[in-house]
Amino acid sequence: MASFGNPAYTAAVGNAGGMMILAAAGVGLANAIGDGIAAAREARYQARYSDALDTAVDHAAQMEALARTAMEMLAELEVENKHLRAACRQRQEVIAVLKGCRA
């Protein structure tokens, strides 16, 4: 064997176990960092989603209030229209009576 008695080979073989542990720890650390980044990304996404949902719910509530107000105004206008039609009909009846008296 070419490595027989070589002190560098003996040191490398002696340190192989420790180097494997360090390599495994490095891989574990890299995985943990990746998982942390993914968790932070997910948390930011959830926060943005929650904010967007809250905004949409608030907007829907405002639109509902606006629609209710519009329906109330429409009902008032329909009542006013009914009164105006009755007044016009009454006026036309008076005009017809007055025309009939002159003739």
Side-chain angles (χ1 to χ4, degrees):
M1 260 186 161
S3 61
F4 181 71
N6 186 344
Y9 175 77
T10 305
V13 170
N15 289 332
M19 292 172 70
M20 286 191 303
I21 290 173
L22 287 175
V27 170
L29 178 63
N31 285 339
I33 290 172
D35 291 346
I37 291 171
R41 183 181 307 123
E42 179 67 20
R44 284 191 307 270
Y45 172 80
Q46 290 297 332
R48 284 193 313 266
Y49 181 81
S50 179
D51 290 345
L53 184 60
D54 290 342
T55 302
V57 168
D58 289 343
H59 183 69
Q62 291 172 358
M63 291 297 104
E64 180 181 6
L66 183 64
R68 288 183 188 278
T69 302
M71 292 302 292
E72 290 169 1
M73 292 174 71
L74 181 62
E76 291 171 5
L77 289 172
E78 286 176 346
V79 168
E80 184 178 351
N81 187 26
K82 181 179 175 184
H83 290 140
L84 289 172
R85 284 184 183 270
C88 286
R89 187 171 34 261
Q90 185 180 18
R91 180 176 180 260
Q92 192 61 41
E93 289 170 359
V94 169
I95 290 171
V97 168
L98 290 176
K99 279 186 178 181
C101 290
R102 289 186 185 170

